Amino acid sequence: MKQIIALAVAASFFAGGAFAQSGQVPDNLEKLSGFKTTGVTEFTFIEQGGDYAVGIEKTLERISLPDGFKIELYAVVPDARHMAVGPQGIVTFVGTRKDKVWSVTDRNKDRVADEVKDFAPSLTFSIPNGPCFSKDGFLYIAEQNRVLLFPAAEFFYESPDVAAFNLVAKGDLIPPDEESFNHTARVCRIGPDGKIYISLGQPFNVAPADKLDLYNKWGIGGMIRLNLDGTGREVYTYGIRNSVGHDFHPATGELWFTDNQVDGMGDDIPPGELNRQTAAGQNFGHPWYGGGDTRTNEYKGEEPPADTVMPVVATVAHAADLGMHFYTGRMFPEKYKHAIFSAQHGSWNRTTPVGARVMVTFIDDQGNAAIEPFAEGWLDEATGEYLGRPVDVAQLPDGSILVSDDLAGALYRISYTK
Amino acid sequence: MRRAILLGLGGLMLAGAAPAFSGDPAAGRKVANMCRTCHGLDGFARIPIAPHIGGEPESYLQRQLRAFKSGARRHEMMTVVASGLSERQMDDVSAWYAAHKATASLPAGTDPANAPEACTACHGVDGIALFEDAPNLAGETNIYIDTQLKAFKRGKRTHEIMNGIAEAMSDEEIRAAADWYASVEFKVDAATK
């Protein structure tokens, strides 16, 4: 009911054209929350097509996929990170680790985007990596230290001034003294319980002992959840190092997430992780474990929590498993139903680089999971050079999937024909 | 007076054709395979959280690597990387990245008078440093500069000049300074082999 009123107010405001000009204020959020205009009218548009797109398309010729699948350039999107596809299928929002959120629109529905422009240009964002949608069309954007919500974003994004509200005000997501740039690519998803789940990476390679109490209180190195009106915040997951992708199993409703593991222990340990959480408050082992059952040197003599949950899948070390999505579409063959598509960003410090590919994980009736490459070829193995680095996977209404790439600055679409 | 001399030397360094390096750039190129995924082989960063280091003063790079190795400066990734580097490797890779040439230009229509006053004496209006002790800021991701300034402000990173400067800045001033240098068009011209 509250949401309906907000929408009605927003709609009547925009329809009425009651735009009042006024001077600059430091925080435009105040104006947008009051359905006022900010005076900012300029969008930044990103050129689609052209030489840049041709270069990306050349890379895509190298990508191998299972029979029947093909990959095409969907949009040029600078610094493209995590994605949120609008429930109406009108627009896809794409986060970055910089200061922009991009809106990507395929107006003529030829499955290639026609327009890419910045979202809510009057707002000052800081690492707006994580957009997510509720079923009823509210867009949430998780930043470094704030979460904003935008009612009916799929309709209002065409205006530079879009109604915006704090879900978690600036400085309230984590203590400002704990802010960092690394391990701060936040991801959000709305769970089957109607709460928003937000991952909070801890900023160290191995979390130091003197920080653990503080971090556990805030859910840093974990996952928090809260109600969509901002109340009821609690820590849902403990013992994560830096998770940059999670989703809920469409049938069981259980939370699954990737986690990036400790560096500096060798090329082949510890493994990356795909985890399954079956109850609130579970602990996934960081900092006692560096990944899988590999103990960290820093906590070698310590007793890990007795109830530590081990990963369902141990992935190749240092490949950097990031965004993930459970497939629920009808386009792909039956065996992909409820499989996980996930992105490996690629290693940054392994002697021989590994990753930069899209993986698929099949889960059997007993809950056993097996991971294998799905789309690969962004790593030029002859030179060790990355031609692209996949970040996230999302699903379009037609059942095709989008893959974001923050090195090339692009979204790809993978589709299937029999 | 000292400042004027340093400025003069700095100008010579940046303009000079073949500066003398204490490390070996060719050997450093091999070390740079450990750096390239984030900083690029030419020092033009490939990810937002990493700074551009191509064309940075050699001595600045040497000091930062040693600070990461000793623990005086901390970063989740760089602490791991520097811990495995020898003195020789740190000098060589610093020479490799210093051997490139960094250039910067303000975007068309930008008034240089709006540059952040607290920063320009050392980092330049366009973010190309005027002193060996200062890094270039041109074209860095605004959040990178914002993060470093806040680290100086809160004492997580220490420097005799920067701590005082950052303490005097509000969070809004920090972001404005970061936005200024992030908007500069930055380019690295690769060294000849």
Side-chain angles (χ1 to χ4, degrees):
Chain A
M1 186 58 199
K2 200 175 140 222
Q3 292 178 356
I4 292 167
I5 291 170
L7 278 179
V9 171
S12 66
F13 171 77
F14 279 89
F19 293 88
Q21 293 295 332
S22 56
Q24 291 282 323
V25 294
D27 187 8
N28 281 326
L29 184 61
E30 235 169 78
K31 289 188 172 184
L32 298 180
S33 301
F35 300 99
K36 293 181 181 135
T37 61
T38 61
V40 175
T41 55
E42 296 279 311
F43 280 117
T44 301
F45 289 91
I46 301 301
E47 184 194 1
Q48 301 298 302
D51 290 348
Y52 194 77
V54 170
I56 293 172
E57 282 162 347
K58 195 153 176 57
T59 297
L60 293 183
E61 291 170 10
R62 298 171 39 97
I63 306 303
S64 60
L65 289 150
D67 285 347
F69 289 93
K70 69 174 173 186
I71 185 164
E72 294 159 296
L73 178 62
Y74 182 76
V76 176
V77 183
D79 313 301
R81 294 283 299 184
H82 286 68
M83 300 174 281
V85 177
Q88 305 286 319
I90 294 169
V91 56
T92 297
F93 291 98
V94 185
T96 69
R97 279 198 289 180
K98 292 184 174 176
D99 62 357
K100 289 218 184 301
V101 176
W102 300 105
S103 65
V104 177
T105 310
D106 167 21
R107 289 191 198 286
N108 62 359
K109 299 296 176 196
D110 65 349
R111 309 308 174 203
V112 178
D114 314 298
E115 182 191 272
V116 177
K117 63 174 189 260
D118 54 341
F119 173 65
S122 71
L123 290 177
T124 300
F125 290 108
S126 295
I127 322 180
N129 183 84
C132 60
F133 263 109
S134 67
K135 281 201 178 70
D136 50 2
F138 282 54
L139 174 68
Y140 298 82
I141 297 176
E143 296 178 73
Q144 177 182 44
N145 203 353
R146 179 173 72 175
V147 184
L148 294 182
L149 77 89
F150 302 87
E154 267 189 295
F155 297 95
F156 295 143
Y157 82 100
E158 297 282 18
S159 161
D161 288 327
V162 48
F165 303 88
N166 277 315
L167 183 75
V168 180
K170 193 167 183 62
D172 289 349
L173 190 58
I174 61 169
D177 277 355
E178 304 305 320
E179 286 176 4
S180 62
F181 194 1
N182 63 307
H183 294 185
T184 305
R186 319 234 183 266
V187 177
C188 65
R189 279 280 205 280
I190 314 295
D193 56 0
K195 294 173 189 278
I196 185 169
Y197 289 70
I198 302 165
S199 56
L200 301 175
Q202 62 75 36
F204 294 89
N205 183 27
V206 177
D210 63 0
K211 290 281 188 187
L212 293 185
D213 285 345
L214 177 72
Y215 285 3
N216 284 335
K217 179 175 164 238
W218 286 85
I220 298 171
M223 195 102 56
I224 60 166
R225 68 174 176 185
L226 53 154
N227 299 317
L228 295 183
D229 61 3
T231 64
R233 173 176 174 156
E234 62 185 326
V235 180
Y236 184 72
T237 317
Y238 296 93
I240 295 177
R241 181 173 174 273
N242 179 38
S243 174
V244 196
H246 60 272
D247 197 9
F248 295 88
H249 191 287
T252 68
E254 287 166 349
L255 175 68
W256 289 62
F257 60 91
T258 59
D259 193 9
N260 287 270
Q261 299 305 333
V262 169
D263 290 304
M265 297 181 73
D267 273 357
D268 299 315
I269 58 163
E273 294 183 355
L274 186 54
N275 293 289
R276 177 175 68 142
Q277 186 167 356
T278 53
Q282 285 178 333
N283 191 312
F284 288 80
H286 188 85
W288 298 273
Y289 295 93
D293 59 5
T294 304
R295 294 293 304 271
T296 52
N297 296 326
E298 290 83 347
Y299 288 81
K300 213 158 207 135
E302 314 260 331
E303 191 63 31
D307 57 350
T308 298
V309 180
M310 285 290 143
V312 178
V313 179
T315 61
V316 59
H318 309 300
D321 298 277
L322 301 185
M324 57 166 283
H325 173 79
F326 277 101
Y327 188 73
T328 58
R330 279 176 293 203
M331 176 187 279
F332 293 1
E334 178 64 21
K335 76 167 186 174
Y336 291 98
K337 183 183 176 185
H338 297 178
I340 298 170
F341 286 102
S342 59
Q344 289 187 336
H345 200 218
S347 62
W348 61 270
N349 65 343
R350 198 169 180 276
T351 309
T352 306
V354 65
R357 56 192 175 176
V358 179
M359 307 295 286
V360 62
T361 301
F362 299 104
I363 304 161
D364 70 16
D365 295 341
Q366 276 74 51
N368 302 309
I371 193 166
E372 61 185 59
F374 177 73
E376 51 188 341
W378 283 282
L379 171 58
D380 184 339
E381 280 162 6
T383 62
E385 185 187 19
Y386 289 116
L387 306 174
R389 301 185 79 189
V391 174
D392 192 26
V393 180
Q395 187 180 311
L396 287 173
D398 71 352
S400 59
I401 59 173
L402 295 178
V403 176
S404 59
D405 179 334
D406 65 349
L407 178 62
L411 303 190
Y412 314 121
R413 176 174 174 268
I414 298 176
S415 59
Y416 177 81
T417 35
K418 279 193 191 96
Chain B
M1 185 57 199
R2 189 165 153 250
R3 177 178 274 198
I5 291 168
L6 281 171
L7 271 175
L9 287 175
L12 277 177
M13 276 278 310
L14 292 170
F21 295 113
S22 58
D24 173 6
R29 189 194 182 286
K30 295 196 186 81
V31 180
N33 281 327
M34 280 185 244
C35 321
R36 63 188 286 183
T37 300
C38 303
H39 294 284
L41 196 52
D42 59 0
F44 191 92
R46 314 299 308 265
I47 62 171
I49 69 170
H52 302 303
I53 56 174
E56 208 80 88
E58 183 189 29
S59 61
Y60 176 79
L61 295 174
Q62 289 172 332
R63 269 195 307 282
Q64 297 310 311
L65 283 169
R66 285 182 169 82
F68 283 124
K69 181 154 179 153
S70 74
R73 186 178 173 189
R74 284 177 167 194
H75 182 268
E76 171 255 329
M77 298 163 102
M78 284 309 301
T79 301
V80 172
V81 172
S83 73
L85 294 178
S86 67
E87 297 287 310
R88 181 82 248 159
Q89 285 177 309
M90 287 194 278
D91 287 346
D92 290 346
V93 77
S94 297
W96 165 254
Y97 281 113
H100 298 74
K101 184 168 172 55
T103 50
S105 49
L106 295 180
T110 306
D111 182 355
N114 293 330
E117 272 177 33
C119 316
T120 54
C122 298
H123 297 281
V125 165
D126 62 359
I128 297 294
L130 304 174
F131 292 94
E132 286 243 327
D133 191 35
N136 298 331
L137 300 179
E140 303 292 13
T141 301
N142 51 3
I143 310 296
Y144 175 79
I145 301 172
D146 187 277
T147 301
Q148 298 309 317
L149 281 168
K150 284 176 177 168
F152 284 124
K153 183 175 175 171
R154 290 166 188 159
K156 290 183 187 175
R157 187 178 169 186
T158 53
H159 184 270
E160 54 180 350
I161 295 169
M162 283 311 301
N163 292 112
I165 287 180
E167 278 163 22
M169 296 173 83
S170 68
D171 283 359
E172 288 72 26
E173 286 166 338
I174 283 174
R175 179 61 185 258
D179 285 346
W180 172 270
Y181 287 114
S183 75
V184 175
E185 288 154 16
F186 178 74
K187 188 158 77 77
V188 175
D189 290 318
T192 49
K193 299 300 153 288

